[in-house]
Amino acid sequence: MRGLSLENRALLERFRLGKRVGLARAISLVENQAPGFETFLHYALSQRSFARRVGVTGPPGAGKSSLVAALSRALREQGEEVGVVAVDPSSPFSGGALLGDRIRMNELATDPGIFIRSMATRGSVGGLASTTREVLDLMDAFGFAWVLVETVGVGQTELEITKAADTVVVVLVPESGDAIQAMKAGLMEIADIFVVNKADRPGADRLIRDVQLALHLKEGEALRDVPAHHGVDLRRLGKAKAHEPADEGGEGGREARRDWKVPVLKTVANTGEGVRELLAAILEHRRYLEDSGTLEERRRKRAQDRVRDVVEREVRRRVWGSPQLQRILRQGVEEILAGRDTPYSLAEALVERILAPEFRDSQEGDGGHDGEQPA
Ligand SMILES: Nc1nc2c(ncn2[C@@H]2O[C@H](COP(=O)(O)OP(=O)(O)OP(=O)(O)O)[C@@H](O)[C@H]2O)c(=O)[nH]1
Ligand SMILES: [Mg+2]
Protein backbone atom coordinates (compact mmCIF):
# COMPACT_ATOMS: atom_id res chain seq x y z
CA MET A 1 0.00 0.00 0.00
CA ARG A 2 1.10 3.51 -0.67
CA GLY A 3 1.69 5.85 2.23
CA LEU A 4 -0.81 8.45 3.33
CA SER A 5 -0.41 12.10 2.51
CA LEU A 6 0.12 14.33 5.52
CA GLU A 7 -3.36 15.69 5.11
CA ASN A 8 -4.99 12.28 4.99
CA ARG A 9 -2.89 11.12 7.89
CA ALA A 10 -4.28 13.94 9.98
CA LEU A 11 -7.74 13.00 8.80
CA LEU A 12 -7.19 9.39 9.77
CA GLU A 13 -6.18 10.55 13.23
CA ARG A 14 -9.41 12.48 13.65
CA PHE A 15 -11.39 9.57 12.28
CA ARG A 16 -9.81 7.15 14.71
CA LEU A 17 -10.42 9.51 17.61
CA GLY A 18 -14.10 9.29 16.81
CA LYS A 19 -14.46 12.90 15.68
CA ARG A 20 -17.60 13.38 13.63
CA VAL A 21 -15.93 15.91 11.37
CA GLY A 22 -13.33 13.24 10.72
CA LEU A 23 -16.04 10.84 9.62
CA ALA A 24 -17.78 13.47 7.53
CA ARG A 25 -14.59 14.40 5.74
CA ALA A 26 -13.59 10.77 5.29
CA ILE A 27 -16.93 10.09 3.64
CA SER A 28 -16.46 13.02 1.30
CA LEU A 29 -12.98 11.79 0.44
CA VAL A 30 -14.40 8.40 -0.50
CA GLU A 31 -17.48 9.75 -2.23
CA ASN A 32 -15.40 12.03 -4.43
CA GLN A 33 -12.76 9.35 -4.95
CA ALA A 34 -10.35 12.11 -4.03
CA PRO A 35 -6.58 11.51 -4.17
CA GLY A 36 -5.53 8.80 -1.78
CA PHE A 37 -9.02 7.59 -0.88
CA GLU A 38 -8.20 3.92 -1.32
CA THR A 39 -5.09 4.20 0.80
CA PHE A 40 -7.16 5.98 3.39
CA LEU A 41 -9.72 3.17 3.35
CA HIS A 42 -6.95 0.64 3.71
CA TYR A 43 -5.89 2.19 6.99
CA ALA A 44 -9.31 3.20 8.21
CA LEU A 45 -10.86 -0.23 7.65
CA SER A 46 -8.02 -2.31 8.99
CA GLN A 47 -10.15 -3.43 11.91
CA ARG A 48 -12.85 -6.07 11.78
CA SER A 49 -16.37 -5.00 11.13
CA PHE A 50 -18.94 -5.25 13.86
CA ALA A 51 -21.84 -3.04 12.91
CA ARG A 52 -25.23 -4.52 12.32
CA ARG A 53 -26.07 -3.47 8.80
CA VAL A 54 -29.69 -3.09 7.97
CA GLY A 55 -30.92 -2.15 4.52
CA VAL A 56 -34.34 -0.58 4.10
CA THR A 57 -35.65 -0.58 0.57
CA GLY A 58 -38.95 -0.16 -1.23
CA PRO A 59 -40.79 2.02 -3.69
CA PRO A 60 -40.54 5.82 -3.58
CA GLY A 61 -42.56 7.40 -0.80
CA ALA A 62 -43.22 4.11 0.99
CA GLY A 63 -42.03 5.62 4.24
CA LYS A 64 -38.49 4.28 4.25
CA SER A 65 -37.00 7.44 5.73
CA SER A 66 -39.74 7.63 8.32
CA LEU A 67 -39.07 4.02 9.26
CA VAL A 68 -35.32 4.51 9.40
CA ALA A 69 -35.87 7.56 11.61
CA ALA A 70 -38.23 5.61 13.86
CA LEU A 71 -35.82 2.69 14.07
CA SER A 72 -32.98 5.07 14.85
CA ARG A 73 -34.99 6.61 17.65
CA ALA A 74 -35.78 3.20 19.07
CA LEU A 75 -32.12 2.25 18.95
CA ARG A 76 -31.05 5.53 20.51
CA GLU A 77 -33.46 4.90 23.36
CA GLN A 78 -31.50 1.73 24.00
CA GLY A 79 -28.29 3.72 24.00
CA GLU A 80 -27.07 2.36 20.66
CA GLU A 81 -25.11 4.52 18.25
CA VAL A 82 -26.47 4.66 14.74
CA GLY A 83 -25.09 5.62 11.36
CA VAL A 84 -27.59 6.26 8.58
CA VAL A 85 -26.95 6.42 4.85
CA ALA A 86 -29.77 7.45 2.56
CA VAL A 87 -28.94 6.65 -1.03
CA ASP A 88 -30.37 8.91 -3.67
CA PRO A 89 -33.53 9.79 -1.77
CA SER A 90 -36.08 11.45 -3.98
CA SER A 91 -36.89 13.55 -0.97
CA PRO A 92 -33.81 14.35 1.07
CA PHE A 93 -33.63 12.60 4.37
CA SER A 94 -33.05 15.77 6.32
CA GLY A 95 -35.68 17.79 4.54
CA GLY A 96 -38.91 17.14 2.69
CA ALA A 97 -39.10 13.45 3.48
CA LEU A 98 -39.73 14.20 7.07
CA LEU A 99 -41.65 17.41 6.89
CA GLY A 100 -44.42 16.02 9.03
CA ASP A 101 -41.86 14.84 11.48
CA ARG A 102 -39.55 17.78 11.58
CA ILE A 103 -39.25 18.31 15.27
CA ARG A 104 -38.39 14.74 16.05
CA MET A 105 -36.06 14.62 13.09
CA ASN A 106 -34.22 17.68 14.32
CA GLU A 107 -33.82 15.94 17.63
CA LEU A 108 -32.17 13.08 15.79
CA ALA A 109 -29.97 15.35 13.72
CA THR A 110 -28.50 17.06 16.77
CA ASP A 111 -28.01 13.82 18.68
CA PRO A 112 -24.29 13.00 18.77
CA GLY A 113 -25.13 9.29 18.84
CA ILE A 114 -26.49 9.35 15.33
CA PHE A 115 -24.89 10.33 12.06
CA ILE A 116 -26.97 10.83 8.93
CA ARG A 117 -25.61 11.10 5.44
CA SER A 118 -27.39 11.33 2.12
CA MET A 119 -25.61 10.39 -1.05
CA ALA A 120 -26.23 10.08 -4.75
CA THR A 121 -25.95 6.82 -6.63
CA ARG A 122 -24.28 8.50 -9.58
CA GLY A 123 -26.16 6.37 -11.98
CA SER A 124 -24.65 3.11 -10.91
CA VAL A 125 -26.62 0.26 -12.41
CA GLY A 126 -27.17 -1.52 -9.16
CA GLY A 127 -28.48 1.61 -7.52
CA LEU A 128 -25.83 1.22 -4.90
CA ALA A 129 -22.45 2.36 -6.09
CA SER A 130 -19.39 0.62 -4.76
CA THR A 131 -18.51 3.91 -3.09
CA THR A 132 -21.77 3.61 -1.14
CA ARG A 133 -20.62 0.30 0.23
CA GLU A 134 -17.32 1.89 1.12
CA VAL A 135 -19.15 4.62 3.00
CA LEU A 136 -21.02 1.94 4.95
CA ASP A 137 -17.67 0.34 5.75
CA LEU A 138 -16.42 3.68 7.01
CA MET A 139 -19.40 4.06 9.31
CA ASP A 140 -18.82 0.55 10.56
CA ALA A 141 -15.12 1.20 11.19
CA PHE A 142 -16.00 4.48 12.88
CA GLY A 143 -17.70 2.39 15.52
CA PHE A 144 -21.44 2.63 15.03
CA ALA A 145 -23.12 -0.44 16.41
CA TRP A 146 -25.84 -0.05 13.80
CA VAL A 147 -25.59 1.13 10.24
CA LEU A 148 -28.89 1.68 8.46
CA VAL A 149 -29.03 2.22 4.72
CA GLU A 150 -32.07 3.44 2.83
CA THR A 151 -32.29 2.83 -0.89
CA VAL A 152 -35.14 3.62 -3.21
CA GLY A 153 -36.05 0.49 -5.03
CA VAL A 154 -37.90 0.36 -8.25
CA GLY A 155 -37.61 -2.88 -10.10
CA GLN A 156 -34.32 -4.69 -10.05
CA THR A 157 -32.18 -1.87 -8.72
CA GLU A 158 -32.58 -2.73 -5.09
CA LEU A 159 -31.07 -6.18 -5.50
CA GLU A 160 -27.68 -4.62 -4.89
CA ILE A 161 -28.65 -3.85 -1.35
CA THR A 162 -28.07 -7.48 -0.46
CA LYS A 163 -24.39 -6.84 -1.10
CA ALA A 164 -24.31 -4.11 1.49
CA ALA A 165 -26.63 -5.18 4.28
CA ASP A 166 -26.85 -8.16 6.62
CA THR A 167 -30.58 -7.78 6.97
CA VAL A 168 -32.80 -6.44 4.22
CA VAL A 169 -36.12 -4.89 5.16
CA VAL A 170 -38.47 -4.46 2.20
CA VAL A 171 -41.12 -1.82 2.75
CA LEU A 172 -44.38 -2.03 0.83
CA VAL A 173 -47.44 0.16 1.13
CA PRO A 174 -51.06 -0.54 0.24
CA GLU A 175 -50.91 1.92 -2.65
CA SER A 176 -47.69 0.51 -4.11
CA GLY A 177 -49.46 -2.35 -5.81
CA ASP A 178 -49.96 -5.97 -5.00
CA ALA A 179 -47.72 -8.76 -3.92
CA ILE A 180 -47.49 -10.08 -7.46
CA GLN A 181 -45.67 -6.92 -8.41
CA ALA A 182 -43.31 -7.40 -5.49
CA MET A 183 -42.63 -10.92 -6.67
CA LYS A 184 -41.97 -9.74 -10.18
CA ALA A 185 -39.60 -7.10 -8.94
CA GLY A 186 -37.55 -9.77 -7.22
CA LEU A 187 -38.38 -8.41 -3.78
CA MET A 188 -39.30 -11.87 -2.54
CA GLU A 189 -35.73 -12.94 -3.16
CA ILE A 190 -34.08 -10.18 -1.20
CA ALA A 191 -36.42 -9.56 1.72
CA ASP A 192 -35.37 -10.91 5.08
CA ILE A 193 -38.25 -9.01 6.60
CA PHE A 194 -41.30 -7.54 4.91
CA VAL A 195 -42.91 -4.45 6.28
CA VAL A 196 -46.29 -3.23 5.19
CA ASN A 197 -46.11 0.42 6.14
CA LYS A 198 -48.93 2.95 6.16
CA ALA A 199 -51.01 0.32 7.87
CA ASP A 200 -53.36 3.14 8.78
CA ARG A 201 -54.44 3.22 5.14
CA PRO A 202 -57.02 0.94 3.59
CA GLY A 203 -55.76 -2.22 1.99
CA ALA A 204 -52.91 -2.91 4.41
CA ASP A 205 -54.31 -6.17 5.77
CA ARG A 206 -55.03 -7.41 2.31
CA LEU A 207 -51.48 -6.67 1.21
CA ILE A 208 -50.12 -8.49 4.26
CA ARG A 209 -52.18 -11.56 3.37
CA ASP A 210 -51.03 -11.42 -0.23
CA VAL A 211 -47.38 -11.13 0.71
CA GLN A 212 -47.71 -13.99 3.17
CA LEU A 213 -49.39 -16.07 0.53
CA ALA A 214 -46.70 -15.25 -2.00
CA LEU A 215 -44.02 -16.19 0.52
CA HIS A 216 -45.74 -19.47 1.26
CA LEU A 217 -46.10 -20.27 -2.40
CA LYS A 218 -42.47 -19.49 -2.90
CA GLU A 219 -41.50 -21.75 -0.06
CA GLY A 220 -43.70 -24.41 -1.55
CA GLU A 221 -45.70 -24.65 1.61
CA ALA A 222 -49.28 -25.74 1.82
CA LEU A 223 -51.86 -23.01 1.81
CA ARG A 224 -53.33 -24.26 5.04
CA ASP A 225 -50.24 -22.93 6.81
CA VAL A 226 -51.25 -19.37 6.10
CA PRO A 227 -52.01 -17.87 9.49
CA ALA A 228 -55.68 -17.17 9.94
CA HIS A 229 -55.07 -13.79 11.49
CA HIS A 230 -53.29 -10.79 10.07
CA GLY A 231 -50.42 -8.62 11.04
CA VAL A 232 -47.43 -9.47 13.14
CA ASP A 233 -47.04 -13.13 13.82
CA LEU A 234 -44.26 -13.19 16.33
CA ARG A 235 -44.41 -16.97 16.62
CA ARG A 236 -42.97 -17.20 13.16
CA LEU A 237 -39.97 -15.12 14.07
CA GLY A 238 -38.27 -17.65 16.26
CA LYS A 239 -38.44 -20.57 13.89
CA ALA A 240 -35.11 -20.27 12.17
CA LYS A 241 -33.52 -23.68 11.81
CA ALA A 242 -29.80 -23.69 12.12
CA HIS A 243 -29.10 -27.32 11.36
CA GLU A 244 -29.08 -27.09 7.60
CA PRO A 245 -25.75 -25.96 6.25
CA ALA A 246 -25.76 -22.68 4.37
CA ASP A 247 -25.55 -23.48 0.70
CA GLU A 248 -22.89 -21.67 -1.23
CA GLY A 249 -25.46 -19.40 -2.79
CA GLY A 250 -25.79 -19.16 -6.54
CA GLU A 251 -25.27 -15.98 -8.49
CA GLY A 252 -26.78 -13.20 -6.44
CA GLY A 253 -28.75 -15.68 -4.37
CA ARG A 254 -29.06 -15.39 -0.64
CA GLU A 255 -27.74 -18.35 1.23
CA ALA A 256 -29.80 -20.68 3.34
CA ARG A 257 -32.93 -18.72 2.69
CA ARG A 258 -35.18 -21.66 3.39
CA ASP A 259 -34.05 -21.66 7.00
CA TRP A 260 -35.43 -18.25 7.76
CA LYS A 261 -39.13 -17.60 7.85
CA VAL A 262 -39.58 -14.15 6.39
CA PRO A 263 -41.95 -12.29 8.70
CA VAL A 264 -44.49 -9.83 7.35
CA LEU A 265 -44.90 -6.96 9.77
CA LYS A 266 -47.15 -3.98 9.83
CA THR A 267 -46.10 -0.45 10.74
CA VAL A 268 -47.26 3.12 10.81
CA ALA A 269 -43.86 4.72 10.55
CA ASN A 270 -44.87 8.26 11.33
CA THR A 271 -46.47 7.29 14.63
CA GLY A 272 -43.95 4.60 15.49
CA GLU A 273 -46.57 1.87 15.58
CA GLY A 274 -45.04 -1.55 14.97
CA VAL A 275 -41.48 -0.27 15.09
CA ARG A 276 -40.71 -2.14 18.28
CA GLU A 277 -41.77 -5.38 16.60
CA LEU A 278 -39.69 -4.53 13.56
CA LEU A 279 -36.64 -4.02 15.72
CA ALA A 280 -37.35 -7.32 17.46
CA ALA A 281 -37.54 -9.05 14.08
CA ILE A 282 -34.26 -7.47 12.98
CA LEU A 283 -32.58 -8.72 16.16
CA GLU A 284 -34.10 -12.14 15.61
CA HIS A 285 -32.74 -12.22 12.09
CA ARG A 286 -29.39 -11.19 13.44
CA ARG A 287 -29.39 -14.14 15.81
CA TYR A 288 -30.33 -16.40 12.94
CA LEU A 289 -27.46 -15.03 10.85
CA GLU A 290 -25.01 -15.68 13.63
CA ASP A 291 -26.28 -19.09 14.69
CA SER A 292 -26.54 -20.48 11.18
CA GLY A 293 -23.13 -19.24 10.07
CA THR A 294 -24.83 -17.18 7.41
CA LEU A 295 -23.35 -13.95 8.70
CA GLU A 296 -19.86 -15.31 8.25
CA GLU A 297 -20.81 -16.47 4.77
CA ARG A 298 -22.22 -13.08 3.81
CA ARG A 299 -19.18 -11.31 5.13
CA ARG A 300 -16.91 -13.60 3.17
CA LYS A 301 -18.91 -12.93 0.03
CA ARG A 302 -18.90 -9.23 0.76
CA ALA A 303 -15.12 -9.17 1.15
CA GLN A 304 -14.74 -11.06 -2.12
CA ASP A 305 -17.08 -8.69 -3.93
CA ARG A 306 -15.21 -5.75 -2.54
CA VAL A 307 -11.87 -7.00 -3.79
CA ARG A 308 -13.37 -7.60 -7.22
CA ASP A 309 -14.91 -4.12 -7.30
CA VAL A 310 -11.64 -2.50 -6.37
CA VAL A 311 -9.65 -4.57 -8.85
CA GLU A 312 -12.04 -3.67 -11.63
CA ARG A 313 -12.01 -0.01 -10.72
CA GLU A 314 -8.21 -0.01 -10.56
CA VAL A 315 -7.78 -1.88 -13.83
CA ARG A 316 -10.19 0.46 -15.58
CA ARG A 317 -8.42 3.47 -14.17
CA ARG A 318 -4.99 2.28 -15.23
CA VAL A 319 -6.02 1.05 -18.62
CA TRP A 320 -8.13 3.96 -19.74
CA GLY A 321 -5.83 6.41 -17.98
CA SER A 322 -2.88 5.28 -20.05
CA PRO A 323 -2.01 7.75 -22.85
CA GLN A 324 -0.32 4.91 -24.69
CA LEU A 325 -3.50 2.82 -24.81
CA GLN A 326 -5.62 5.83 -25.62
CA ARG A 327 -3.40 6.39 -28.64
CA ILE A 328 -3.75 2.81 -29.80
CA LEU A 329 -7.50 3.02 -29.27
CA ARG A 330 -7.81 6.22 -31.29
CA GLN A 331 -5.77 4.83 -34.15
CA GLY A 332 -7.52 1.48 -34.02
CA VAL A 333 -10.94 3.10 -34.23
CA GLU A 334 -9.93 4.76 -37.49
CA GLU A 335 -8.98 1.34 -38.82
CA ILE A 336 -12.38 0.00 -37.75
CA LEU A 337 -14.18 2.86 -39.48
CA ALA A 338 -12.16 2.26 -42.60
CA GLY A 339 -13.27 -1.36 -42.56
CA ARG A 340 -9.76 -2.71 -42.02
CA ASP A 341 -10.28 -3.88 -38.44
CA THR A 342 -13.04 -4.90 -36.04
CA PRO A 343 -13.63 -3.96 -32.39
CA TYR A 344 -12.77 -7.53 -31.46
CA SER A 345 -9.30 -7.68 -32.88
CA LEU A 346 -8.57 -4.20 -31.55
CA ALA A 347 -9.79 -5.22 -28.08
CA GLU A 348 -7.68 -8.33 -28.22
CA ALA A 349 -4.64 -6.32 -29.20
CA LEU A 350 -5.28 -3.94 -26.32
CA VAL A 351 -5.66 -6.75 -23.79
CA GLU A 352 -2.43 -8.32 -25.00
CA ARG A 353 -0.76 -4.96 -24.65
CA ILE A 354 -2.08 -4.58 -21.11
CA LEU A 355 -0.85 -7.99 -20.08
CA ALA A 356 2.61 -7.43 -21.54
CA PRO A 357 5.36 -6.60 -19.05
CA GLU A 358 6.17 -3.43 -20.99
CA PHE A 359 2.77 -2.04 -20.08
CA ARG A 360 3.33 -2.61 -16.42
CA ASP A 361 6.74 -0.98 -16.64
CA SER A 362 5.26 2.00 -18.41
CA GLN A 363 2.78 2.40 -15.54
CA GLU A 364 5.46 2.55 -12.92
CA GLY A 365 6.51 5.99 -11.91
CA ASP A 366 3.35 7.61 -13.21
CA GLY A 367 2.51 8.10 -9.55
CA GLY A 368 -0.87 6.41 -9.69
CA HIS A 369 -4.10 8.30 -9.27
CA ASP A 370 -3.52 9.51 -5.78
CA GLY A 371 -0.29 11.29 -6.43
CA GLU A 372 0.94 10.46 -2.97
CA GLN A 373 4.46 9.96 -1.82
CA PRO A 374 5.32 6.54 -0.45
CA ALA A 375 5.79 6.84 3.28
N1 LIG B 1 -50.35 7.76 6.60
C1 LIG B 1 -49.07 7.43 6.72
N2 LIG B 1 -48.13 8.21 6.17
C2 LIG B 1 -46.85 7.83 6.30
C3 LIG B 1 -46.46 6.67 6.98
N3 LIG B 1 -45.13 6.54 6.92
C4 LIG B 1 -44.69 7.61 6.24
N4 LIG B 1 -45.71 8.39 5.86
C5 LIG B 1 -45.64 9.62 5.09
O1 LIG B 1 -45.33 9.29 3.75
C6 LIG B 1 -44.51 10.28 3.16
C7 LIG B 1 -43.26 9.66 2.60
O2 LIG B 1 -42.49 9.17 3.66
P1 LIG B 1 -40.93 9.00 3.55
O3 LIG B 1 -40.46 8.46 4.85
O4 LIG B 1 -40.28 10.21 3.06
O5 LIG B 1 -40.87 7.89 2.42
P2 LIG B 1 -39.58 7.37 1.65
O6 LIG B 1 -39.89 5.97 1.27
O7 LIG B 1 -38.36 7.62 2.42
O8 LIG B 1 -39.61 8.29 0.37
P3 LIG B 1 -38.45 8.49 -0.71
O9 LIG B 1 -37.15 8.49 0.01
O10 LIG B 1 -38.78 9.79 -1.30
O11 LIG B 1 -38.60 7.35 -1.66
C8 LIG B 1 -44.25 11.31 4.24
O12 LIG B 1 -45.13 12.36 4.09
C9 LIG B 1 -44.52 10.55 5.52
O13 LIG B 1 -44.91 11.37 6.58
C10 LIG B 1 -47.49 5.85 7.55
O14 LIG B 1 -47.26 4.80 8.14
N5 LIG B 1 -48.77 6.29 7.37
MG1 LIG C 1 -36.58 8.61 1.86
Side-chain angles (χ1 to χ4, degrees):
M1 252 359 255
R2 266 166 218 284
L4 278 169
S5 67
L6 279 180
E7 197 187 337
N8 286 351
R9 194 174 306 196
L11 178 56
L12 184 65
E13 188 102 334
R14 267 173 291 164
F15 179 87
R16 283 186 171 156
L17 286 172
K19 306 273 189 219
R20 291 165 71 96
V21 302
L23 174 60
R25 286 219 34 224
I27 291 174
S28 299
L29 183 80
V30 168
E31 232 187 327
N32 300 329
Q33 306 208 355
F37 83 98
E38 288 180 319
T39 314
F40 183 88
L41 281 168
H42 167 75
Y43 289 105
L45 306 184
S46 53
Q47 277 131 30
R48 281 197 58 180
S49 98
F50 291 104
R52 289 147 183 232
R53 299 174 185 222
V54 179
V56 176
T57 192
K64 301 177 296 295
S65 296
S66 310
L67 262 184
V68 166
L71 275 174
S72 304
R73 267 194 297 275
L75 288 166
R76 288 301 295 136
E77 274 162 21
Q78 298 178 10
E80 303 274 23
E81 307 214 317
V82 187
V84 174
V85 181
V87 182
D88 211 9
S90 49
S91 38
F93 195 91
S94 50
L98 292 143
L99 264 182
D101 203 17
R102 231 195 196 139
I103 298 155
R104 290 159 97 189
M105 194 56 211
N106 284 345
E107 253 167 51
L108 274 188
T110 55
D111 177 348
I114 179 165
F115 185 95
I116 302 171
R117 182 79 171 216
S118 295
M119 58 189 297
T121 53
R122 303 191 175 194
S124 110
V125 178
L128 209 60
S130 60
T131 43
T132 307
R133 293 199 283 274
E134 286 165 328
V135 167
L136 295 180
D137 287 347
L138 271 177
M139 288 207 169
D140 189 339
F142 189 74
F144 291 114
W146 291 78
V147 175
L148 312 181
V149 54
E150 170 189 347
T151 61
V152 182
V154 254
Q156 295 292 318
T157 55
E158 62 270 74
L159 303 186
E160 280 269 307
I161 200 175
T162 59
K163 279 196 193 174
D166 302 320
T167 299
V168 175
V169 177
V170 173
V171 185
L172 299 175
V173 281
E175 49 274 74
S176 71
D178 54 22
I180 307 284
Q181 253 174 294
M183 283 184 95
K184 278 194 198 144
L187 292 173
M188 294 284 157
E189 312 300 325
I190 64 161
D192 296 305
I193 297 168
F194 267 110
V195 166
V196 171
N197 188 43
K198 305 199 184 180
D200 52 328
R201 300 248 174 102
D205 285 336
R206 200 201 149 100
L207 179 59
I208 289 169
R209 270 200 310 279
D210 285 354
V211 173
Q212 281 172 339
L213 199 63
L215 284 169
H216 277 257
L217 288 174
K218 187 173 160 283
E219 289 164 10
E221 290 182 23
L223 295 188
R224 60 183 159 77
D225 287 345
V226 179
H229 68 283
H230 318 130
V232 183
D233 186 350
L234 290 171
R235 283 173 311 160
R236 299 180 70 214
L237 296 180
K239 287 196 186 159
K241 288 172 273 155
H243 60 270
E244 280 181 65
D247 69 41
E248 289 295 302
E251 269 308 301
R254 308 218 75 172
E255 341 61 13
R257 280 300 310 275
R258 68 192 99 87
D259 298 347
W260 168 252
K261 289 266 182 201
V262 177
V264 185
L265 310 180
K266 157 164 138 170
T267 57
V268 183
N270 50 356
T271 66
E273 215 181 306
V275 170
R276 219 162 39 97
E277 288 81 354
L278 173 57
L279 192 53
I282 291 169
L283 286 167
E284 192 61 48
H285 185 248
R286 178 67 183 198
R287 264 191 296 278
Y288 153 76
L289 287 175
E290 284 170 359
D291 294 349
S292 64
T294 310
L295 186 63
E296 194 70 23
E297 201 49 50
R298 283 186 190 185
R299 285 188 166 158
R300 182 169 294 118
K301 176 107 179 15
R302 195 185 292 157
Q304 230 173 56
D305 284 345
R306 178 59 42 81
V307 175
R308 255 181 235 190
D309 282 353
V310 176
V311 166
E312 278 165 26
R313 182 164 69 196
E314 184 63 12
V315 168
R316 244 193 316 261
R317 187 189 66 76
R318 285 208 204 179
V319 167
W320 303 123
S322 151
Q324 187 198 358
L325 290 186
Q326 287 293 346
R327 205 166 42 243
I328 300 173
L329 177 65
R330 267 198 312 276
Q331 288 162 359
V333 164
E334 294 312 314
E335 295 297 301
I336 292 169
L337 289 181
R340 287 189 293 267
D341 203 353
T342 69
Y344 304 94
S345 61
L346 175 56
E348 190 181 30
L350 281 170
V351 170
E352 263 154 28
R353 191 65 163 246
I354 290 157
L355 294 178
E358 302 87 69
F359 181 72
R360 206 186 48 230
D361 293 345
S362 77
Q363 293 266 301
E364 269 161 24
D366 80 348
H369 64 311
D370 51 10
E372 305 217 334
Q373 302 303 314

